[in-house]
Amino acid sequence: MAVFSLTCLFAIEMLKSKSLPVLTTAWYDKNNEATFSDIIAFVRRNIWAEKYFDDSTVDAEYMKIKLPQWDALLDQLARAA
């Protein structure tokens, strides 16, 4: 219960500056309402984007990728984890 509550609290704070994407599927109609899987993917994606994928150009192994590829990668990782 604590992890569920903390995840929801993190999401509430993040919603002040970002919007929550709701994943739609052909077999499950959510009526554009977020489920917990949407919320946890939203929180994971934002934490990973800010903590692990910084824009440091000091590292010699740094490689740029295009924004659409970046967004797709983070979305897929957040949903799969």
Side-chain angles (χ1 to χ4, degrees):
M1 267 319 250
V3 173
F4 176 84
S5 298
L6 287 173
T7 303
C8 291
L9 288 173
F10 290 150
I12 290 169
E13 282 299 311
M14 290 176 186
L15 284 171
K16 293 178 181 176
S17 62
K18 299 172 173 99
S19 63
L20 173 65
V22 178
L23 182 67
T24 58
T25 58
W27 58 88
Y28 181 60
D29 183 20
K30 296 192 257 184
N31 297 325
N32 207 23
E33 294 182 13
T35 61
F36 185 69
S37 65
D38 294 320
I39 294 170
I40 198 165
F42 172 69
V43 170
R44 283 177 180 155
R45 186 187 194 288
N46 285 292
I47 289 172
W48 292 343
E50 292 179 19
K51 185 172 182 177
Y52 298 112
F53 302 110
D54 64 351
D55 289 332
S56 176
T57 57
V58 178
D59 189 2
E61 295 182 15
Y62 179 77
M63 181 176 71
K64 287 187 177 183
I65 63 172
K66 295 182 180 176
L67 188 58
Q69 294 169 329
W70 168 253
D71 285 335
L73 174 66
L74 279 179
D75 287 339
Q76 291 169 3
L77 284 173
R79 296 271 176 205

